[in-house]
Amino acid sequence: MNRYRFEEIEIGMEESFEVRVTSEMMELFFAITGDSNPLHTDEEFARKKGYTSRVSYGMLTASFLSTLAGVYMPGERSLIHSVETKFVKPVFPEDVLKICGEVVGKNELFSIIKLKVTVTNQNHEKVLRGTMQIGVLADGE
């Protein structure tokens, strides 16, 4: 886990990690949210709609942005203020996602960083893009 302090963070810094989306993750997400949309839960239904497989929950993909902030940038001092996302392409079980964040802004007065975020799949196709505003807590806060 990273422990960046606000003053250590510079415009242009990047952090990223990879994760494989599994059927088990989708089942756990369903158990938490109760989202029973057949595009996510029924292989045959999804295929009839033109997809190669069940479609992963968009919010499951977006949930990895929490990991980006809380573990990678800035890490343990993070407090997410806002997240804006656009789902560009569907994600499927067994896709390997690369979650990337680049610092594109800093608010010195409020100790907030702005990240440009992208998520790409194993074929280097962008599946999500957006921005995050993240507070960076000082020591002792």
Side-chain angles (χ1 to χ4, degrees):
M1 174 179 295
N2 289 329
R3 293 171 173 83
Y4 288 114
R5 289 183 169 79
F6 183 77
E7 56 275 4
E8 297 173 319
I9 298 170
E10 297 179 11
I11 305 291
M13 287 178 71
E14 296 181 13
E15 289 286 348
S16 66
F17 67 99
E18 290 188 354
V19 64
R20 179 181 301 275
V21 175
T22 65
S23 292
E24 180 184 24
M25 286 176 180
M26 290 178 60
E27 291 163 14
L28 291 168
F29 195 87
F30 166 70
I32 292 167
T33 65
D35 182 349
S36 60
N37 182 318
L39 261 177
H40 306 304
T41 61
D42 185 332
E43 186 87 26
E44 186 177 329
F45 179 87
R47 289 185 189 278
K48 286 181 181 176
K49 296 299 179 188
Y51 296 99
T52 58
S53 174
R54 295 183 301 148
V55 177
S56 179
Y57 296 92
M59 295 306 290
L60 174 59
T61 300
S63 73
F64 296 117
L65 298 178
S66 180
T67 307
L68 179 64
V71 177
Y72 295 93
M73 178 56 74
E76 81 173 11
R77 293 181 172 87
S78 71
L79 179 61
I80 297 173
H81 288 254
S82 68
V83 178
E84 294 183 25
T85 61
K86 169 103 173 142
F87 301 104
V88 182
K89 291 189 129 203
V91 171
F92 302 99
E94 300 310 313
D95 276 356
V96 176
L97 303 179
K98 183 174 183 180
I99 295 84
C100 301
E102 177 187 356
V103 179
V104 294
K106 285 182 73 173
N107 181 315
E108 303 283 339
L109 182 62
F110 296 106
S111 296
I112 294 174
I113 60 172
K114 181 177 182 180
L115 293 186
K116 178 178 97 174
V117 295
T118 57
V119 179
T120 54
N121 65 18
Q122 66 278 358
N123 300 317
H124 308 287
E125 299 168 316
K126 192 178 293 184
V127 298
L128 179 150
R129 61 182 161 84
T131 59
M132 298 178 74
Q133 300 278 342
I134 306 164
V136 183
L137 303 173
D139 290 334
E141 287 186 302

Short mmCIF file of all heavy atoms in Angstrom, two decimals, residues 80-141:
data_model
loop_
_atom_site.label_atom_id
_atom_site.label_comp_id
_atom_site.label_asym_id
_atom_site.label_seq_id
_atom_site.Cartn_x
_atom_site.Cartn_y
_atom_site.Cartn_z
N ILE A 80 -11.98 9.63 -1.03
CA ILE A 80 -12.59 9.94 -2.32
C ILE A 80 -13.71 10.95 -2.13
O ILE A 80 -14.62 10.75 -1.33
CB ILE A 80 -13.13 8.66 -2.99
CG1 ILE A 80 -11.98 7.69 -3.29
CG2 ILE A 80 -13.89 9.01 -4.29
CD1 ILE A 80 -12.42 6.34 -3.80
N HIS A 81 -13.65 12.04 -2.89
CA HIS A 81 -14.69 13.07 -2.87
C HIS A 81 -15.69 12.87 -4.00
O HIS A 81 -16.89 13.08 -3.80
CB HIS A 81 -14.07 14.46 -2.98
CG HIS A 81 -13.35 14.89 -1.75
ND1 HIS A 81 -13.85 15.82 -0.88
CD2 HIS A 81 -12.16 14.51 -1.22
CE1 HIS A 81 -13.01 16.01 0.12
NE2 HIS A 81 -11.97 15.21 -0.07
N SER A 82 -15.20 12.51 -5.20
CA SER A 82 -16.11 12.29 -6.32
C SER A 82 -15.47 11.38 -7.35
O SER A 82 -14.25 11.29 -7.46
CB SER A 82 -16.50 13.62 -6.97
OG SER A 82 -15.39 14.22 -7.61
N VAL A 83 -16.36 10.72 -8.10
CA VAL A 83 -15.94 9.85 -9.20
C VAL A 83 -16.92 10.08 -10.35
O VAL A 83 -18.13 10.04 -10.15
CB VAL A 83 -15.98 8.36 -8.80
CG1 VAL A 83 -15.60 7.47 -9.98
CG2 VAL A 83 -15.08 8.07 -7.61
N GLU A 84 -16.39 10.35 -11.52
CA GLU A 84 -17.20 10.46 -12.72
C GLU A 84 -16.67 9.44 -13.72
O GLU A 84 -15.46 9.42 -13.98
CB GLU A 84 -17.12 11.86 -13.32
CG GLU A 84 -17.74 12.92 -12.42
CD GLU A 84 -17.72 14.30 -13.05
OE1 GLU A 84 -17.66 14.41 -14.30
OE2 GLU A 84 -17.74 15.27 -12.28
N THR A 85 -17.57 8.61 -14.25
CA THR A 85 -17.12 7.56 -15.16
C THR A 85 -18.00 7.50 -16.40
O THR A 85 -19.16 7.89 -16.38
CB THR A 85 -17.13 6.17 -14.51
OG1 THR A 85 -18.46 5.85 -14.12
CG2 THR A 85 -16.21 6.09 -13.33
N LYS A 86 -17.42 6.98 -17.45
CA LYS A 86 -18.12 6.65 -18.68
C LYS A 86 -17.74 5.21 -19.00
O LYS A 86 -16.57 4.86 -19.05
CB LYS A 86 -17.67 7.58 -19.80
CG LYS A 86 -18.13 7.18 -21.16
CD LYS A 86 -19.27 8.00 -21.62
CE LYS A 86 -19.58 7.66 -23.07
NZ LYS A 86 -20.95 7.65 -23.36
N PHE A 87 -18.76 4.37 -19.17
CA PHE A 87 -18.53 2.97 -19.53
C PHE A 87 -18.46 2.90 -21.05
O PHE A 87 -19.45 3.12 -21.74
CB PHE A 87 -19.64 2.08 -18.97
CG PHE A 87 -19.74 2.16 -17.47
CD1 PHE A 87 -20.76 2.88 -16.86
CD2 PHE A 87 -18.81 1.55 -16.67
CE1 PHE A 87 -20.86 2.98 -15.49
CE2 PHE A 87 -18.89 1.64 -15.28
CZ PHE A 87 -19.91 2.35 -14.70
N VAL A 88 -17.27 2.59 -21.58
CA VAL A 88 -17.01 2.67 -23.01
C VAL A 88 -17.30 1.36 -23.73
O VAL A 88 -17.84 1.35 -24.83
CB VAL A 88 -15.54 3.11 -23.25
CG1 VAL A 88 -15.25 3.25 -24.73
CG2 VAL A 88 -15.25 4.41 -22.52
N LYS A 89 -16.94 0.24 -23.11
CA LYS A 89 -17.15 -1.09 -23.70
C LYS A 89 -17.50 -2.06 -22.59
O LYS A 89 -17.11 -1.86 -21.44
CB LYS A 89 -15.88 -1.60 -24.40
CG LYS A 89 -15.51 -0.87 -25.66
CD LYS A 89 -14.38 -1.59 -26.36
CE LYS A 89 -14.86 -1.75 -27.77
NZ LYS A 89 -14.34 -2.74 -28.57
N PRO A 90 -18.21 -3.14 -22.93
CA PRO A 90 -18.54 -4.12 -21.89
C PRO A 90 -17.31 -4.91 -21.43
O PRO A 90 -16.34 -5.07 -22.15
CB PRO A 90 -19.55 -5.04 -22.58
CG PRO A 90 -19.32 -4.87 -24.04
CD PRO A 90 -18.77 -3.49 -24.23
N VAL A 91 -17.44 -5.39 -20.20
CA VAL A 91 -16.42 -6.25 -19.58
C VAL A 91 -17.07 -7.61 -19.37
O VAL A 91 -18.25 -7.69 -19.03
CB VAL A 91 -15.94 -5.65 -18.24
CG1 VAL A 91 -15.05 -6.62 -17.48
CG2 VAL A 91 -15.23 -4.32 -18.48
N PHE A 92 -16.30 -8.67 -19.56
CA PHE A 92 -16.80 -10.03 -19.44
C PHE A 92 -16.00 -10.82 -18.41
O PHE A 92 -14.86 -10.47 -18.11
CB PHE A 92 -16.71 -10.73 -20.80
CG PHE A 92 -17.47 -10.02 -21.89
CD1 PHE A 92 -16.81 -9.19 -22.78
CD2 PHE A 92 -18.84 -10.16 -22.00
CE1 PHE A 92 -17.51 -8.51 -23.77
CE2 PHE A 92 -19.55 -9.49 -22.98
CZ PHE A 92 -18.88 -8.66 -23.87
N PRO A 93 -16.60 -11.89 -17.87
CA PRO A 93 -15.84 -12.73 -16.94
C PRO A 93 -14.54 -13.21 -17.60
O PRO A 93 -14.52 -13.54 -18.78
CB PRO A 93 -16.78 -13.92 -16.67
CG PRO A 93 -18.14 -13.40 -16.98
CD PRO A 93 -17.96 -12.39 -18.07
N GLU A 94 -13.49 -13.21 -16.83
CA GLU A 94 -12.13 -13.61 -17.21
C GLU A 94 -11.38 -12.52 -17.97
O GLU A 94 -10.21 -12.73 -18.33
CB GLU A 94 -12.10 -14.93 -17.98
CG GLU A 94 -12.67 -16.10 -17.19
CD GLU A 94 -12.07 -16.23 -15.78
OE1 GLU A 94 -10.83 -16.16 -15.64
OE2 GLU A 94 -12.85 -16.40 -14.83
N ASP A 95 -11.99 -11.35 -18.20
CA ASP A 95 -11.22 -10.24 -18.73
C ASP A 95 -10.18 -9.81 -17.69
O ASP A 95 -10.45 -9.83 -16.49
CB ASP A 95 -12.13 -9.04 -19.04
CG ASP A 95 -12.81 -9.12 -20.40
OD1 ASP A 95 -12.53 -10.07 -21.15
OD2 ASP A 95 -13.61 -8.21 -20.69
N VAL A 96 -9.01 -9.43 -18.16
CA VAL A 96 -7.96 -8.89 -17.30
C VAL A 96 -7.95 -7.39 -17.53
O VAL A 96 -7.72 -6.91 -18.64
CB VAL A 96 -6.58 -9.50 -17.61
CG1 VAL A 96 -5.51 -8.85 -16.76
CG2 VAL A 96 -6.62 -11.01 -17.40
N LEU A 97 -8.23 -6.66 -16.46
CA LEU A 97 -8.33 -5.21 -16.55
C LEU A 97 -7.09 -4.54 -15.98
O LEU A 97 -6.56 -4.97 -14.96
CB LEU A 97 -9.56 -4.72 -15.78
CG LEU A 97 -10.90 -5.31 -16.19
CD1 LEU A 97 -12.01 -4.75 -15.32
CD2 LEU A 97 -11.17 -5.08 -17.67
N LYS A 98 -6.67 -3.47 -16.65
CA LYS A 98 -5.60 -2.62 -16.13
C LYS A 98 -6.25 -1.31 -15.72
O LYS A 98 -6.84 -0.61 -16.55
CB LYS A 98 -4.52 -2.39 -17.16
CG LYS A 98 -3.36 -1.57 -16.61
CD LYS A 98 -2.22 -1.46 -17.61
CE LYS A 98 -1.05 -0.70 -16.99
NZ LYS A 98 0.06 -0.58 -17.94
N ILE A 99 -6.16 -1.00 -14.43
CA ILE A 99 -6.74 0.21 -13.87
C ILE A 99 -5.62 1.22 -13.71
O ILE A 99 -4.63 0.95 -13.01
CB ILE A 99 -7.45 -0.09 -12.52
CG1 ILE A 99 -8.65 -1.02 -12.72
CG2 ILE A 99 -7.93 1.19 -11.86
CD1 ILE A 99 -8.35 -2.45 -12.77
N CYS A 100 -5.76 2.39 -14.35
CA CYS A 100 -4.69 3.39 -14.36
C CYS A 100 -5.22 4.73 -13.87
O CYS A 100 -6.34 5.12 -14.20
CB CYS A 100 -4.17 3.60 -15.79
SG CYS A 100 -3.50 2.12 -16.55
N GLY A 101 -4.39 5.42 -13.13
CA GLY A 101 -4.71 6.76 -12.71
C GLY A 101 -3.51 7.67 -12.92
O GLY A 101 -2.39 7.30 -12.60
N GLU A 102 -3.78 8.86 -13.47
CA GLU A 102 -2.74 9.86 -13.68
C GLU A 102 -3.16 11.14 -12.98
O GLU A 102 -4.29 11.61 -13.17
CB GLU A 102 -2.54 10.13 -15.16
CG GLU A 102 -1.52 11.21 -15.43
CD GLU A 102 -1.43 11.62 -16.89
OE1 GLU A 102 -2.09 11.03 -17.75
OE2 GLU A 102 -0.66 12.57 -17.17
N VAL A 103 -2.26 11.71 -12.20
CA VAL A 103 -2.54 12.97 -11.52
C VAL A 103 -2.55 14.09 -12.57
O VAL A 103 -1.55 14.31 -13.25
CB VAL A 103 -1.49 13.27 -10.42
CG1 VAL A 103 -1.79 14.61 -9.75
CG2 VAL A 103 -1.43 12.13 -9.40
N VAL A 104 -3.70 14.77 -12.68
CA VAL A 104 -3.83 15.85 -13.66
C VAL A 104 -4.11 17.20 -12.99
O VAL A 104 -4.19 18.22 -13.66
CB VAL A 104 -4.90 15.54 -14.73
CG1 VAL A 104 -4.48 14.35 -15.58
CG2 VAL A 104 -6.26 15.31 -14.10
N GLY A 105 -4.27 17.18 -11.65
CA GLY A 105 -4.51 18.43 -10.95
C GLY A 105 -4.29 18.30 -9.46
O GLY A 105 -4.37 17.21 -8.90
N LYS A 106 -3.98 19.44 -8.83
CA LYS A 106 -3.81 19.50 -7.38
C LYS A 106 -4.44 20.78 -6.87
O LYS A 106 -4.22 21.85 -7.43
CB LYS A 106 -2.32 19.52 -7.00
CG LYS A 106 -1.61 18.19 -7.13
CD LYS A 106 -0.16 18.29 -6.68
CE LYS A 106 -0.05 18.42 -5.18
NZ LYS A 106 1.35 18.35 -4.69
N ASN A 107 -5.21 20.67 -5.81
CA ASN A 107 -5.78 21.83 -5.13
C ASN A 107 -5.05 21.98 -3.81
O ASN A 107 -5.30 21.22 -2.86
CB ASN A 107 -7.28 21.65 -4.92
CG ASN A 107 -7.93 22.82 -4.25
OD1 ASN A 107 -7.42 23.36 -3.28
ND2 ASN A 107 -9.09 23.21 -4.77
N GLU A 108 -4.14 22.93 -3.76
CA GLU A 108 -3.29 23.13 -2.59
C GLU A 108 -4.09 23.53 -1.35
O GLU A 108 -3.78 23.12 -0.24
CB GLU A 108 -2.23 24.21 -2.88
CG GLU A 108 -1.34 23.93 -4.07
CD GLU A 108 -0.26 22.91 -3.80
OE1 GLU A 108 0.10 22.68 -2.62
OE2 GLU A 108 0.25 22.32 -4.79
N LEU A 109 -5.15 24.34 -1.55
CA LEU A 109 -5.93 24.85 -0.42
C LEU A 109 -6.62 23.72 0.34
O LEU A 109 -6.64 23.71 1.57
CB LEU A 109 -6.96 25.87 -0.91
CG LEU A 109 -7.82 26.53 0.16
CD1 LEU A 109 -6.94 27.32 1.14
CD2 LEU A 109 -8.85 27.44 -0.50
N PHE A 110 -7.18 22.75 -0.41
CA PHE A 110 -7.96 21.68 0.22
C PHE A 110 -7.25 20.32 0.21
O PHE A 110 -7.84 19.32 0.61
CB PHE A 110 -9.33 21.56 -0.46
CG PHE A 110 -10.17 22.78 -0.28
CD1 PHE A 110 -10.38 23.65 -1.34
CD2 PHE A 110 -10.74 23.07 0.95
CE1 PHE A 110 -11.15 24.79 -1.18
CE2 PHE A 110 -11.52 24.20 1.11
CZ PHE A 110 -11.74 25.07 0.06
N SER A 111 -6.01 20.26 -0.25
CA SER A 111 -5.25 18.99 -0.34
C SER A 111 -6.03 17.92 -1.09
O SER A 111 -6.22 16.80 -0.63
CB SER A 111 -4.86 18.50 1.06
OG SER A 111 -4.00 19.40 1.70
N ILE A 112 -6.48 18.30 -2.29
CA ILE A 112 -7.23 17.38 -3.15
C ILE A 112 -6.46 17.20 -4.45
O ILE A 112 -5.93 18.16 -5.02
CB ILE A 112 -8.64 17.94 -3.45
CG1 ILE A 112 -9.46 17.98 -2.16
CG2 ILE A 112 -9.34 17.12 -4.53
CD1 ILE A 112 -10.81 18.65 -2.31
N ILE A 113 -6.38 15.96 -4.89
CA ILE A 113 -5.79 15.67 -6.20
C ILE A 113 -6.90 15.26 -7.16
O ILE A 113 -7.94 14.74 -6.75
CB ILE A 113 -4.70 14.58 -6.13
CG1 ILE A 113 -5.25 13.25 -5.61
CG2 ILE A 113 -3.51 15.07 -5.31
CD1 ILE A 113 -4.27 12.09 -5.70
N LYS A 114 -6.65 15.51 -8.44
CA LYS A 114 -7.57 15.06 -9.49
C LYS A 114 -6.84 14.02 -10.32
O LYS A 114 -5.72 14.27 -10.77
CB LYS A 114 -8.01 16.23 -10.37
CG LYS A 114 -8.98 15.83 -11.46
CD LYS A 114 -9.44 17.03 -12.27
CE LYS A 114 -10.45 16.60 -13.32
NZ LYS A 114 -10.92 17.77 -14.11
N LEU A 115 -7.48 12.86 -10.47
CA LEU A 115 -6.92 11.80 -11.30
C LEU A 115 -7.74 11.64 -12.57
O LEU A 115 -8.97 11.67 -12.53
CB LEU A 115 -6.96 10.45 -10.58
CG LEU A 115 -6.11 10.21 -9.35
CD1 LEU A 115 -6.23 8.74 -8.93
CD2 LEU A 115 -4.66 10.56 -9.59
N LYS A 116 -7.05 11.46 -13.69
CA LYS A 116 -7.69 10.97 -14.90
C LYS A 116 -7.57 9.45 -14.82
O LYS A 116 -6.47 8.92 -14.58
CB LYS A 116 -6.97 11.49 -16.15
CG LYS A 116 -7.58 10.97 -17.45
CD LYS A 116 -6.86 11.55 -18.65
CE LYS A 116 -5.83 10.57 -19.11
NZ LYS A 116 -5.16 10.94 -20.35
N VAL A 117 -8.69 8.74 -14.93
CA VAL A 117 -8.67 7.29 -14.78
C VAL A 117 -9.09 6.61 -16.08
O VAL A 117 -9.95 7.10 -16.80
CB VAL A 117 -9.56 6.82 -13.61
CG1 VAL A 117 -9.02 7.33 -12.29
CG2 VAL A 117 -11.00 7.24 -13.78
N THR A 118 -8.43 5.49 -16.35
CA THR A 118 -8.80 4.65 -17.48
C THR A 118 -8.70 3.20 -17.06
O THR A 118 -7.87 2.83 -16.23
CB THR A 118 -7.88 4.88 -18.71
OG1 THR A 118 -6.53 4.64 -18.32
CG2 THR A 118 -8.02 6.27 -19.28
N VAL A 119 -9.59 2.41 -17.63
CA VAL A 119 -9.54 0.96 -17.44
C VAL A 119 -9.53 0.35 -18.83
O VAL A 119 -10.39 0.65 -19.66
CB VAL A 119 -10.75 0.45 -16.62
CG1 VAL A 119 -10.68 -1.07 -16.47
CG2 VAL A 119 -10.80 1.13 -15.25
N THR A 120 -8.53 -0.50 -19.07
CA THR A 120 -8.43 -1.20 -20.36
C THR A 120 -8.45 -2.70 -20.12
O THR A 120 -8.09 -3.18 -19.05
CB THR A 120 -7.14 -0.81 -21.10
OG1 THR A 120 -6.02 -1.03 -20.24
CG2 THR A 120 -7.16 0.65 -21.54
N ASN A 121 -8.87 -3.43 -21.14
CA ASN A 121 -8.89 -4.90 -21.03
C ASN A 121 -7.61 -5.49 -21.61
O ASN A 121 -6.71 -4.76 -22.03
CB ASN A 121 -10.15 -5.48 -21.68
CG ASN A 121 -10.22 -5.26 -23.18
OD1 ASN A 121 -9.23 -4.96 -23.85
ND2 ASN A 121 -11.42 -5.38 -23.74
N GLN A 122 -7.55 -6.81 -21.63
CA GLN A 122 -6.35 -7.52 -22.08
C GLN A 122 -6.04 -7.26 -23.55
O GLN A 122 -4.93 -7.51 -24.01
CB GLN A 122 -6.48 -9.03 -21.81
CG GLN A 122 -7.55 -9.73 -22.61
CD GLN A 122 -8.94 -9.60 -22.03
OE1 GLN A 122 -9.15 -8.99 -20.98
NE2 GLN A 122 -9.91 -10.17 -22.71
N ASN A 123 -7.00 -6.74 -24.31
CA ASN A 123 -6.79 -6.41 -25.72
C ASN A 123 -6.42 -4.93 -25.90
O ASN A 123 -6.45 -4.42 -27.01
CB ASN A 123 -8.05 -6.74 -26.53
CG ASN A 123 -8.41 -8.21 -26.43
OD1 ASN A 123 -7.54 -9.08 -26.51
ND2 ASN A 123 -9.67 -8.49 -26.25
N HIS A 124 -6.13 -4.26 -24.78
CA HIS A 124 -5.76 -2.84 -24.76
C HIS A 124 -6.92 -1.94 -25.22
O HIS A 124 -6.69 -0.83 -25.71
CB HIS A 124 -4.49 -2.57 -25.59
CG HIS A 124 -3.35 -3.46 -25.20
ND1 HIS A 124 -2.65 -3.30 -24.02
CD2 HIS A 124 -2.82 -4.55 -25.81
CE1 HIS A 124 -1.72 -4.24 -23.94
NE2 HIS A 124 -1.80 -5.01 -25.00
N GLU A 125 -8.15 -2.44 -25.08
CA GLU A 125 -9.34 -1.65 -25.41
C GLU A 125 -9.81 -0.93 -24.15
O GLU A 125 -9.92 -1.54 -23.08
CB GLU A 125 -10.47 -2.56 -25.90
CG GLU A 125 -10.13 -3.34 -27.14
CD GLU A 125 -11.15 -4.43 -27.43
OE1 GLU A 125 -11.56 -5.14 -26.49
OE2 GLU A 125 -11.51 -4.56 -28.61
N LYS A 126 -10.09 0.36 -24.29
CA LYS A 126 -10.58 1.13 -23.15
C LYS A 126 -12.02 0.70 -22.86
O LYS A 126 -12.87 0.68 -23.75
CB LYS A 126 -10.53 2.62 -23.47
CG LYS A 126 -10.73 3.51 -22.28
CD LYS A 126 -10.62 4.98 -22.64
CE LYS A 126 -9.21 5.32 -23.05
NZ LYS A 126 -9.03 6.76 -23.32
N VAL A 127 -12.27 0.33 -21.59
CA VAL A 127 -13.62 -0.08 -21.19
C VAL A 127 -14.27 0.93 -20.26
O VAL A 127 -15.49 0.94 -20.09
CB VAL A 127 -13.64 -1.50 -20.55
CG1 VAL A 127 -13.15 -2.54 -21.57
CG2 VAL A 127 -12.81 -1.55 -19.28
N LEU A 128 -13.46 1.80 -19.64
CA LEU A 128 -13.97 2.83 -18.73
C LEU A 128 -12.99 4.00 -18.77
O LEU A 128 -11.79 3.80 -18.86
CB LEU A 128 -14.07 2.28 -17.31
CG LEU A 128 -14.56 3.22 -16.21
CD1 LEU A 128 -15.29 2.45 -15.13
CD2 LEU A 128 -13.42 4.02 -15.58
N ARG A 129 -13.56 5.21 -18.68
CA ARG A 129 -12.72 6.40 -18.53
C ARG A 129 -13.44 7.35 -17.60
O ARG A 129 -14.65 7.27 -17.44
CB ARG A 129 -12.43 7.07 -19.87
CG ARG A 129 -13.63 7.56 -20.62
CD ARG A 129 -13.21 8.17 -21.97
NE ARG A 129 -14.30 8.26 -22.88
CZ ARG A 129 -15.20 9.25 -22.92
NH1 ARG A 129 -15.11 10.24 -22.06
NH2 ARG A 129 -16.16 9.25 -23.81
N GLY A 130 -12.66 8.23 -16.97
CA GLY A 130 -13.30 9.18 -16.08
C GLY A 130 -12.30 9.98 -15.28
O GLY A 130 -11.11 10.05 -15.61
N THR A 131 -12.82 10.59 -14.21
CA THR A 131 -11.99 11.40 -13.31
C THR A 131 -12.38 11.12 -11.87
O THR A 131 -13.50 10.69 -11.59
CB THR A 131 -12.15 12.91 -13.58
OG1 THR A 131 -13.52 13.27 -13.39
CG2 THR A 131 -11.68 13.29 -14.96
N MET A 132 -11.45 11.37 -10.98
CA MET A 132 -11.68 11.25 -9.55
C MET A 132 -11.11 12.47 -8.85
O MET A 132 -10.05 12.97 -9.25
CB MET A 132 -10.98 10.00 -8.98
CG MET A 132 -11.45 8.69 -9.53
SD MET A 132 -10.52 7.30 -8.82
CE MET A 132 -11.22 7.22 -7.18
N GLN A 133 -11.80 12.93 -7.82
CA GLN A 133 -11.28 13.96 -6.91
C GLN A 133 -11.04 13.23 -5.59
O GLN A 133 -11.97 12.63 -5.02
CB GLN A 133 -12.31 15.07 -6.71
CG GLN A 133 -12.71 15.78 -7.97
CD GLN A 133 -11.75 16.87 -8.38
OE1 GLN A 133 -10.94 17.33 -7.57
NE2 GLN A 133 -11.81 17.27 -9.63
N ILE A 134 -9.80 13.29 -5.10
CA ILE A 134 -9.42 12.53 -3.92
C ILE A 134 -8.73 13.44 -2.91
O ILE A 134 -7.72 14.09 -3.24
CB ILE A 134 -8.47 11.36 -4.27
CG1 ILE A 134 -9.08 10.49 -5.38
CG2 ILE A 134 -8.11 10.54 -3.04
CD1 ILE A 134 -8.10 9.57 -6.05
N GLY A 135 -9.26 13.49 -1.72
CA GLY A 135 -8.60 14.21 -0.64
C GLY A 135 -7.41 13.40 -0.14
O GLY A 135 -7.46 12.17 -0.09
N VAL A 136 -6.34 14.10 0.21
CA VAL A 136 -5.14 13.45 0.75
C VAL A 136 -5.01 13.92 2.20
O VAL A 136 -4.69 15.08 2.47
CB VAL A 136 -3.89 13.80 -0.07
CG1 VAL A 136 -2.68 13.04 0.48
CG2 VAL A 136 -4.10 13.48 -1.54
N LEU A 137 -5.30 13.02 3.13
CA LEU A 137 -5.27 13.36 4.55
C LEU A 137 -3.85 13.58 5.04
O LEU A 137 -2.93 12.87 4.62
CB LEU A 137 -5.93 12.25 5.36
CG LEU A 137 -7.37 11.89 4.99
CD1 LEU A 137 -7.83 10.68 5.77
CD2 LEU A 137 -8.29 13.07 5.22
N ALA A 138 -3.70 14.55 5.90
CA ALA A 138 -2.41 14.80 6.52
C ALA A 138 -2.16 13.79 7.63
O ALA A 138 -3.08 13.11 8.09
CB ALA A 138 -2.37 16.22 7.09
N ASP A 139 -0.93 13.65 8.07
CA ASP A 139 -0.62 12.79 9.20
C ASP A 139 -1.46 13.20 10.39
O ASP A 139 -1.65 14.38 10.65
CB ASP A 139 0.86 12.89 9.57
CG ASP A 139 1.75 12.26 8.51
OD1 ASP A 139 1.29 11.37 7.78
OD2 ASP A 139 2.91 12.69 8.40
N GLY A 140 -1.98 12.24 11.11
CA GLY A 140 -2.77 12.52 12.32
C GLY A 140 -4.24 12.78 12.07
O GLY A 140 -5.01 12.92 12.99
N GLU A 141 -4.66 12.88 10.78
CA GLU A 141 -6.08 13.11 10.50
C GLU A 141 -6.81 11.79 10.41
O GLU A 141 -6.29 10.79 10.05
CB GLU A 141 -6.27 13.86 9.18
CG GLU A 141 -5.89 15.30 9.28
CD GLU A 141 -6.22 16.06 8.00
OE1 GLU A 141 -5.72 15.69 6.93
OE2 GLU A 141 -6.96 17.03 8.10
#
